[in-house]
Short mmCIF file of all heavy atoms in Angstrom, two decimals:
data_model
loop_
_atom_site.label_atom_id
_atom_site.label_comp_id
_atom_site.label_asym_id
_atom_site.label_seq_id
_atom_site.Cartn_x
_atom_site.Cartn_y
_atom_site.Cartn_z
N LEU A 228 6.92 115.46 83.60
CA LEU A 228 6.96 114.36 82.65
C LEU A 228 5.85 113.35 82.92
O LEU A 228 5.10 112.98 82.00
CB LEU A 228 8.32 113.65 82.72
CG LEU A 228 8.44 112.31 81.97
CD1 LEU A 228 8.43 112.57 80.49
CD2 LEU A 228 9.68 111.60 82.38
N LEU A 229 5.71 112.96 84.18
CA LEU A 229 4.66 111.98 84.53
C LEU A 229 3.25 112.56 84.34
O LEU A 229 2.34 111.86 83.96
CB LEU A 229 4.90 111.48 85.94
CG LEU A 229 6.16 110.66 86.14
CD1 LEU A 229 6.33 110.28 87.58
CD2 LEU A 229 6.21 109.43 85.23
N VAL A 232 2.56 112.28 80.60
CA VAL A 232 2.22 110.91 80.28
C VAL A 232 0.81 110.60 80.72
O VAL A 232 0.04 109.95 79.96
CB VAL A 232 3.26 109.92 80.87
CG1 VAL A 232 2.79 108.48 80.73
CG2 VAL A 232 4.63 110.12 80.24
N ALA A 233 0.41 111.04 81.89
CA ALA A 233 -0.95 110.81 82.39
C ALA A 233 -1.97 111.53 81.48
O ALA A 233 -3.01 110.94 81.16
CB ALA A 233 -1.08 111.29 83.82
N ASP A 236 -2.35 109.52 78.41
CA ASP A 236 -3.20 108.37 78.69
C ASP A 236 -4.68 108.73 78.67
O ASP A 236 -5.52 108.03 78.06
CB ASP A 236 -2.79 107.71 80.05
CG ASP A 236 -3.53 106.41 80.34
OD1 ASP A 236 -4.12 105.82 79.42
OD2 ASP A 236 -3.49 105.98 81.50
N LEU A 239 -5.77 109.38 75.08
CA LEU A 239 -5.88 108.14 74.34
C LEU A 239 -7.16 107.35 74.76
O LEU A 239 -7.90 106.88 73.87
CB LEU A 239 -4.66 107.29 74.63
CG LEU A 239 -4.37 106.10 73.76
CD1 LEU A 239 -4.28 106.52 72.28
CD2 LEU A 239 -3.04 105.45 74.14
N LEU A 276 4.83 115.58 74.83
CA LEU A 276 5.79 114.53 75.17
C LEU A 276 7.11 114.74 74.37
O LEU A 276 8.18 114.63 74.93
CB LEU A 276 5.24 113.13 74.80
CG LEU A 276 4.06 112.66 75.68
CD1 LEU A 276 3.52 111.35 75.12
CD2 LEU A 276 4.49 112.53 77.12
N ALA A 290 18.19 105.12 82.08
CA ALA A 290 16.98 104.30 82.34
C ALA A 290 15.72 105.10 82.07
O ALA A 290 14.78 104.65 81.41
CB ALA A 290 16.98 103.79 83.75
N VAL A 291 15.69 106.37 82.53
CA VAL A 291 14.52 107.21 82.35
C VAL A 291 14.39 107.55 80.87
O VAL A 291 13.27 107.48 80.30
CB VAL A 291 14.60 108.51 83.21
CG1 VAL A 291 13.49 109.48 82.84
CG2 VAL A 291 14.49 108.16 84.68
N ILE A 292 15.47 107.92 80.23
CA ILE A 292 15.42 108.28 78.79
C ILE A 292 14.93 107.07 77.97
O ILE A 292 14.07 107.21 77.08
CB ILE A 292 16.76 108.82 78.30
CG1 ILE A 292 17.06 110.18 78.98
CG2 ILE A 292 16.76 108.97 76.80
CD1 ILE A 292 18.47 110.70 78.73
N GLY A 293 15.45 105.92 78.23
CA GLY A 293 15.06 104.69 77.51
C GLY A 293 13.58 104.38 77.74
O GLY A 293 12.84 104.01 76.82
N SER A 294 13.17 104.48 79.00
CA SER A 294 11.74 104.18 79.33
C SER A 294 10.84 105.20 78.65
O SER A 294 9.77 104.86 78.14
CB SER A 294 11.55 104.21 80.81
OG SER A 294 12.21 103.15 81.42
N PHE A 295 11.25 106.48 78.67
CA PHE A 295 10.45 107.49 78.02
C PHE A 295 10.33 107.28 76.51
O PHE A 295 9.30 107.48 75.92
CB PHE A 295 11.03 108.88 78.32
CG PHE A 295 10.19 109.98 77.74
CD1 PHE A 295 8.93 110.23 78.22
CD2 PHE A 295 10.70 110.78 76.71
CE1 PHE A 295 8.17 111.28 77.69
CE2 PHE A 295 9.98 111.80 76.21
CZ PHE A 295 8.69 112.06 76.65
N SER A 296 11.40 106.80 75.90
CA SER A 296 11.36 106.55 74.46
C SER A 296 10.36 105.44 74.18
O SER A 296 9.58 105.51 73.19
CB SER A 296 12.71 106.12 73.93
OG SER A 296 13.64 107.22 73.96
N LYS A 297 10.30 104.43 75.02
CA LYS A 297 9.30 103.34 74.88
C LYS A 297 7.89 103.89 75.02
O LYS A 297 6.98 103.48 74.28
CB LYS A 297 9.56 102.23 75.83
CG LYS A 297 10.80 101.42 75.53
CD LYS A 297 11.05 100.37 76.57
CE LYS A 297 12.37 99.63 76.27
NZ LYS A 297 12.71 98.66 77.35
N VAL A 298 7.69 104.79 75.94
CA VAL A 298 6.39 105.42 76.15
C VAL A 298 5.98 106.15 74.88
O VAL A 298 4.87 105.97 74.39
CB VAL A 298 6.39 106.40 77.36
CG1 VAL A 298 5.16 107.31 77.33
CG2 VAL A 298 6.44 105.65 78.68
N CYS A 299 6.90 106.94 74.36
CA CYS A 299 6.56 107.73 73.15
C CYS A 299 6.25 106.82 71.95
O CYS A 299 5.27 107.06 71.22
CB CYS A 299 7.71 108.70 72.81
SG CYS A 299 7.87 110.03 74.03
N ASP A 300 7.09 105.80 71.78
CA ASP A 300 6.87 104.87 70.66
C ASP A 300 5.52 104.16 70.76
O ASP A 300 4.80 104.03 69.78
CB ASP A 300 8.01 103.84 70.61
CG ASP A 300 9.37 104.47 70.21
OD1 ASP A 300 9.36 105.60 69.71
OD2 ASP A 300 10.38 103.78 70.38
N SER A 301 5.25 103.64 71.96
CA SER A 301 3.98 102.92 72.14
C SER A 301 2.77 103.85 72.03
O SER A 301 1.70 103.44 71.57
CB SER A 301 3.95 102.18 73.48
OG SER A 301 4.07 103.05 74.57
N TYR A 302 2.94 105.11 72.43
CA TYR A 302 1.85 106.09 72.28
C TYR A 302 1.54 106.36 70.84
O TYR A 302 0.38 106.33 70.41
CB TYR A 302 2.24 107.37 72.98
CG TYR A 302 1.09 108.39 73.07
CD1 TYR A 302 0.02 108.15 73.87
CD2 TYR A 302 1.12 109.55 72.29
CE1 TYR A 302 -1.04 109.06 73.96
CE2 TYR A 302 0.07 110.43 72.39
CZ TYR A 302 -1.00 110.18 73.20
OH TYR A 302 -2.05 111.11 73.27
N VAL A 303 2.57 106.54 70.03
CA VAL A 303 2.39 106.80 68.61
C VAL A 303 1.68 105.59 67.93
O VAL A 303 0.73 105.75 67.17
CB VAL A 303 3.74 107.08 67.91
CG1 VAL A 303 3.60 107.04 66.39
CG2 VAL A 303 4.29 108.43 68.35
N LYS A 304 2.10 104.38 68.28
CA LYS A 304 1.46 103.20 67.74
C LYS A 304 0.00 103.09 68.11
O LYS A 304 -0.83 102.72 67.32
CB LYS A 304 2.19 101.92 68.17
CG LYS A 304 3.55 101.77 67.52
CD LYS A 304 4.28 100.57 68.07
CE LYS A 304 5.68 100.48 67.47
NZ LYS A 304 6.47 99.35 68.06
N ALA A 305 -0.30 103.45 69.37
CA ALA A 305 -1.71 103.42 69.81
C ALA A 305 -2.57 104.45 69.08
O ALA A 305 -3.67 104.17 68.67
CB ALA A 305 -1.80 103.63 71.33
N VAL A 321 -4.43 96.03 72.62
CA VAL A 321 -3.04 95.60 72.81
C VAL A 321 -2.12 96.85 72.80
O VAL A 321 -1.21 96.95 73.63
CB VAL A 321 -2.61 94.64 71.69
CG1 VAL A 321 -1.12 94.43 71.62
CG2 VAL A 321 -3.35 93.32 71.85
N ARG A 322 -2.33 97.79 71.89
CA ARG A 322 -1.51 99.03 71.87
C ARG A 322 -1.73 99.87 73.11
O ARG A 322 -0.76 100.41 73.62
CB ARG A 322 -1.90 99.85 70.63
CG ARG A 322 -1.71 99.15 69.29
CD ARG A 322 -0.23 98.81 69.07
NE ARG A 322 -0.14 98.12 67.80
CZ ARG A 322 0.86 97.30 67.52
NH1 ARG A 322 1.83 97.09 68.35
NH2 ARG A 322 0.90 96.67 66.37
N PHE A 323 -2.95 99.96 73.59
CA PHE A 323 -3.18 100.69 74.85
C PHE A 323 -2.40 100.04 75.99
O PHE A 323 -1.77 100.73 76.78
CB PHE A 323 -4.68 100.68 75.20
CG PHE A 323 -5.52 101.74 74.54
CD1 PHE A 323 -5.25 102.13 73.21
CD2 PHE A 323 -6.55 102.34 75.19
CE1 PHE A 323 -6.01 103.10 72.60
CE2 PHE A 323 -7.32 103.32 74.59
CZ PHE A 323 -7.04 103.68 73.28
N ASP A 324 -2.47 98.71 76.06
CA ASP A 324 -1.75 97.96 77.09
C ASP A 324 -0.24 98.16 77.00
O ASP A 324 0.44 98.35 78.02
CB ASP A 324 -2.07 96.48 77.03
CG ASP A 324 -3.49 96.17 77.51
OD1 ASP A 324 -4.16 97.05 78.09
OD2 ASP A 324 -3.95 95.00 77.26
N GLU A 325 0.25 98.19 75.79
CA GLU A 325 1.70 98.42 75.60
C GLU A 325 2.12 99.79 76.11
O GLU A 325 3.12 99.96 76.78
CB GLU A 325 2.12 98.27 74.14
CG GLU A 325 2.12 96.86 73.65
CD GLU A 325 2.32 96.75 72.13
OE1 GLU A 325 2.41 97.78 71.43
OE2 GLU A 325 2.41 95.62 71.62
N PHE A 326 1.27 100.81 75.82
CA PHE A 326 1.53 102.15 76.29
C PHE A 326 1.49 102.20 77.82
O PHE A 326 2.40 102.78 78.43
CB PHE A 326 0.52 103.09 75.70
CG PHE A 326 0.54 104.50 76.32
CD1 PHE A 326 1.59 105.35 76.08
CD2 PHE A 326 -0.49 104.88 77.17
CE1 PHE A 326 1.63 106.62 76.71
CE2 PHE A 326 -0.46 106.15 77.79
CZ PHE A 326 0.60 107.01 77.54
N ARG A 327 0.51 101.62 78.40
CA ARG A 327 0.38 101.65 79.86
C ARG A 327 1.53 100.90 80.58
O ARG A 327 1.99 101.28 81.64
CB ARG A 327 -0.96 101.15 80.28
CG ARG A 327 -2.03 102.15 79.88
CD ARG A 327 -3.34 101.91 80.56
NE ARG A 327 -4.28 103.01 80.17
CZ ARG A 327 -5.38 102.80 79.51
NH1 ARG A 327 -5.71 101.62 79.14
NH2 ARG A 327 -6.17 103.84 79.25
N THR A 328 1.95 99.76 79.95
CA THR A 328 3.09 99.05 80.51
C THR A 328 4.34 99.90 80.45
O THR A 328 5.09 99.99 81.42
CB THR A 328 3.28 97.75 79.73
OG1 THR A 328 2.11 96.94 79.89
CG2 THR A 328 4.49 96.97 80.25
N ALA A 329 4.56 100.56 79.33
CA ALA A 329 5.73 101.46 79.18
C ALA A 329 5.64 102.61 80.18
O ALA A 329 6.65 103.00 80.77
CB ALA A 329 5.83 101.98 77.76
N ALA A 330 4.44 103.15 80.38
CA ALA A 330 4.26 104.26 81.35
C ALA A 330 4.59 103.79 82.78
O ALA A 330 5.21 104.53 83.55
CB ALA A 330 2.85 104.80 81.26
N THR A 331 4.20 102.58 83.11
CA THR A 331 4.53 102.03 84.44
C THR A 331 6.01 101.85 84.58
O THR A 331 6.58 102.18 85.64
CB THR A 331 3.75 100.69 84.65
OG1 THR A 331 2.39 100.92 84.54
CG2 THR A 331 4.10 100.09 85.99
N GLN A 332 6.66 101.33 83.55
CA GLN A 332 8.14 101.19 83.62
C GLN A 332 8.80 102.52 83.75
O GLN A 332 9.82 102.65 84.46
CB GLN A 332 8.61 100.46 82.37
CG GLN A 332 8.18 99.00 82.34
CD GLN A 332 8.41 98.33 80.98
OE1 GLN A 332 8.66 98.97 79.98
NE2 GLN A 332 8.31 97.02 80.96
N LEU A 333 8.29 103.53 83.13
CA LEU A 333 8.82 104.89 83.27
C LEU A 333 8.71 105.37 84.71
O LEU A 333 9.65 105.95 85.25
CB LEU A 333 8.15 105.88 82.32
CG LEU A 333 8.54 107.34 82.47
CD1 LEU A 333 10.03 107.55 82.14
CD2 LEU A 333 7.67 108.24 81.56
N GLN A 334 7.58 105.16 85.32
CA GLN A 334 7.37 105.53 86.70
C GLN A 334 8.43 104.88 87.61
O GLN A 334 9.00 105.50 88.48
CB GLN A 334 6.00 105.18 87.21
CG GLN A 334 4.89 106.07 86.55
CD GLN A 334 3.52 105.58 86.91
OE1 GLN A 334 3.32 104.63 87.71
NE2 GLN A 334 2.51 106.23 86.36
N TYR A 335 8.67 103.58 87.38
CA TYR A 335 9.69 102.90 88.18
C TYR A 335 11.09 103.50 87.92
O TYR A 335 11.88 103.63 88.85
CB TYR A 335 9.71 101.40 87.88
CG TYR A 335 8.58 100.62 88.55
CD1 TYR A 335 7.70 99.89 87.79
CD2 TYR A 335 8.39 100.68 89.93
CE1 TYR A 335 6.64 99.19 88.40
CE2 TYR A 335 7.35 100.01 90.52
CZ TYR A 335 6.47 99.28 89.75
OH TYR A 335 5.44 98.60 90.36
N ALA A 336 11.40 103.81 86.68
CA ALA A 336 12.72 104.37 86.36
C ALA A 336 12.88 105.71 87.03
O ALA A 336 13.96 106.02 87.59
CB ALA A 336 12.87 104.48 84.86
N VAL A 337 11.84 106.53 87.03
CA VAL A 337 11.88 107.84 87.68
C VAL A 337 12.10 107.69 89.16
O VAL A 337 12.96 108.35 89.74
CB VAL A 337 10.59 108.67 87.37
CG1 VAL A 337 10.41 109.81 88.30
CG2 VAL A 337 10.60 109.11 85.92
#
Side-chain angles (χ1 to χ4, degrees):
L228 170 70
L229 295 176
V232 170
D236 187 13
L239 194 57
L276 292 174
V291 170
I292 292 171
S294 293
F295 182 66
S296 291
K297 289 178 184 174
V298 165
C299 291
D300 292 345
S301 61
Y302 186 71
V303 167
K304 289 177 184 175
V321 167
R322 300 296 179 205
F323 276 37
D324 288 348
E325 287 173 356
F326 168 72
R327 289 194 175 118
T328 298
T331 300
Q332 291 169 346
L333 174 63
Q334 290 174 2
Y335 283 123
V337 164

